[in-house]
C-alpha cells in the first residue's frame, strides 16, 4: 500500500509539473505572438507615414481627396513644406505648440530622444528637475492633459492616407483599428532642416568615404517614429527611421 501511495504522489507531481510547463510555454508563445503583432503594426505605421509624406494613398496613387491633408477640410491642418520658403514658418509654428507636434507633424525634439519611455506625468524624467522643452508624456493623466497620443497630435494608421485594416486589404491587425485612448498605434514625423554643407554638395556623407546622392525638392529630412501598443499590458514596439523624399527623375 505504501508503494502504491508513493507512485500515486509521484504521478501527481509529474502531472502538476507537466501542466505548469505547458502553461509557461503557452504564456511565452502568447507574449511572442503579441510582440510580433505589435511589430507588424509599427511597420505598417512607418509605411503609412511615408505615404503621408509623399502625398499618396494606400494604393500608391496620388492623394487628391479626403482624408489626405490638403483635402481634410480643417483650416488649421498643417502641410508638408512644398518649397524652401515654407520650411521655417512651419517649424516655427510647430515649435509654438505645447507638444511641438500637431496632426502627426513635429518640430525636431530637443529633449530626451526616447520620448516613448515618458509614459505619463508621473514617470520620472532624467534629470527630474527642469525638463527640456518638449518633454510631453505619451498619455495624459487627466481628460484635459497634454499628451503626444492625443487626438490631433499623433497620427493614427490611415488617418491621412485612407489605409484600412481589413482582411480584404490583405491585412488584419487589431492594433491598427484601435481608437481608444492609450491603445493602438501612432506615428510622429519630425521635420528637420537639411545641413547647409550637405545641401551645397547635394550629398549625405558619413564619417568615412561613403556618399549618397540625393535629388530633393525641399531640403528637409523627416524622422518618423512609430509606436504600437500590444494587446497585453506592457507590450510596446517602437520603430524609427529617417526618410528623405526624393524627386523622381524622368
Amino acid at each position: 500500500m505504501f508503494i502504491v501511495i508513493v507512485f500515486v504522489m509521484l504521478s501527481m507531481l509529474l502531472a502538476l509539473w507537466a501542466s505548469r510547463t505547458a502553461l509557461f510555454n503557452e504564456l511565452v508563445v502568447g507574449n511572442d505572438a503579441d510582440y510580433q503583432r505589435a511589430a507588424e503594426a509599427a511597420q505598417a505605421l512607418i509605411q503609412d507615414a511615408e505615404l503621408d509624406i509623399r502625398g499618396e494613398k494606400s494604393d500608391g496613387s496620388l492623394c487628391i481627396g479626403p482624408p489626405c491633408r490638403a483635402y481634410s477640410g480643417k483650416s488649421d491642418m498643417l502641410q508638408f513644406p512644398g518649397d524652401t520658403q515654407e520650411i521655417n514658418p512651419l517649424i516655427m509654428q510647430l515649435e509654438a505648440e505645447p507638444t511641438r507636434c500637431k496632426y502627426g507633424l513635429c518640430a525636431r525634439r530637443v529633449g530626451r530622444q526616447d520620448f516613448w519611455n515618458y509614459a505619463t506625468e508621473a514617470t520620472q524624467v532624467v534629470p527630474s528637475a527642469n525638463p527640456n522643452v518638449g518633454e510631453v508624456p505619451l498619455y495624459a493623466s487627466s481628460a484635459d492633459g497634454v499628451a503626444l497620443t492625443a487626438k490631433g497630435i499623433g497620427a493614427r494608421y490611415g488617418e491621412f492616407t485612407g489605409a484600412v485594416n481589413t482582411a480584404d486589404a490583405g491585412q488584419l491587425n487589431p492594433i491598427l483599428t484601435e481608437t481608444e485612448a492609450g491603445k493602438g498605434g501612432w506615428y510622429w514625423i519630425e521635420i528637420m532642416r537639411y545641413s547647409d554643407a550637405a545641401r551645397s554638395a547635394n550629398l549625405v556623407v558619413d564619417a568615412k568615404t561613403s556618399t549618397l546622392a540625393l535629388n530633393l525638392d525641399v531640403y528637409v529630412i523627416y524622422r518618423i517614429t512609430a509606436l504600437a501598443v500590444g494587446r497585453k499590458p506592457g507590450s510596446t514596439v517602437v520603430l524609427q527611421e529617417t526618410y528623405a523624399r526624393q524627386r523622381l527623375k524622368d
Side-chain angles (χ1 to χ4, degrees):
M1 179 65 70
F2 177 75
I3 296 176
V4 172
I5 293 175
V6 170
F7 273 100
V8 170
M9 292 181 64
L10 289 175
S11 299
M12 291 177 61
L13 290 174
L14 288 173
L16 179 61
W17 174 80
S19 63
R20 290 182 64 86
T21 301
L23 178 61
F24 175 76
N25 289 335
E26 185 177 349
L27 290 174
V28 170
V29 172
N31 290 338
D32 183 67
D34 191 57
Y35 171 80
Q36 295 297 334
R37 186 185 300 114
E40 292 173 0
Q43 183 62 50
L45 286 163
I46 286 281
Q47 295 173 350
D48 196 55
E50 292 178 359
L51 292 172
D52 188 10
I53 293 172
R54 297 198 300 267
E56 298 176 358
K57 294 192 294 185
S58 57
D59 59 2
S61 61
L62 186 63
C63 204
I64 54 174
C68 301
R69 291 181 181 273
Y71 305 93
S72 66
K74 299 178 181 179
S75 58
D76 61 342
M77 176 58 65
L78 301 181
Q79 307 291 331
F80 292 99
D83 55 49
T84 305
Q85 287 71 30
E86 295 179 358
I87 299 175
N88 288 339
L90 174 60
I91 293 178
M92 291 177 62
Q93 185 176 356
L94 289 170
E95 288 175 342
E97 294 291 328
T99 59
R100 296 176 64 88
C101 292
K102 189 173 184 180
Y103 295 121
L105 302 187
C106 304
R108 184 181 66 84
R109 296 199 61 79
V110 295
R112 61 189 300 168
Q113 299 302 302
D114 60 333
F115 63 90
W116 48 87
N117 289 324
Y118 185 27
T120 66
E121 290 89 343
T123 305
Q124 182 179 6
V125 179
V126 181
S128 57
N130 300 322
N132 291 316
V133 176
E135 297 291 1
V136 180
L138 279 179
Y139 313 112
S141 300
S142 58
D144 57 349
V146 178
L148 287 175
T149 56
K151 185 176 178 59
I153 305 299
R156 292 281 196 175
Y157 179 75
E159 185 174 354
F160 299 111
T161 64
V164 294
N165 177 48
T166 63
D168 294 338
Q171 57 184 336
L172 188 59
N173 192 322
I175 296 176
L176 298 176
T177 58
E178 287 279 8
T179 57
E180 186 178 344
K183 295 183 179 180
W186 304 263
Y187 68 79
W188 302 268
I189 303 173
E190 295 173 73
I191 301 174
M192 300 183 292
R193 298 179 183 89
Y194 202 53
S195 165
D196 289 337
R199 176 180 175 180
S200 62
N202 199 26
L203 296 171
V204 170
V205 184
D206 64 13
K208 298 179 181 179
T209 58
S210 301
T211 59
L212 174 64
L214 297 178
N215 190 36
L216 305 181
D217 280 326
V218 183
Y219 284 85
V220 292
I221 299 295
Y222 302 102
R223 181 165 61 182
I224 306 170
T225 304
L227 181 145
V229 179
R231 310 286 282 187
K232 293 189 174 184
S235 178
T236 302
V237 173
V238 178
L239 296 179
Q240 196 171 69
E241 76 167 17
T242 302
Y243 183 79
R245 180 185 177 186
Q246 300 193 56
R247 181 176 66 252
L248 297 178
K249 296 181 180 181
D250 294 336

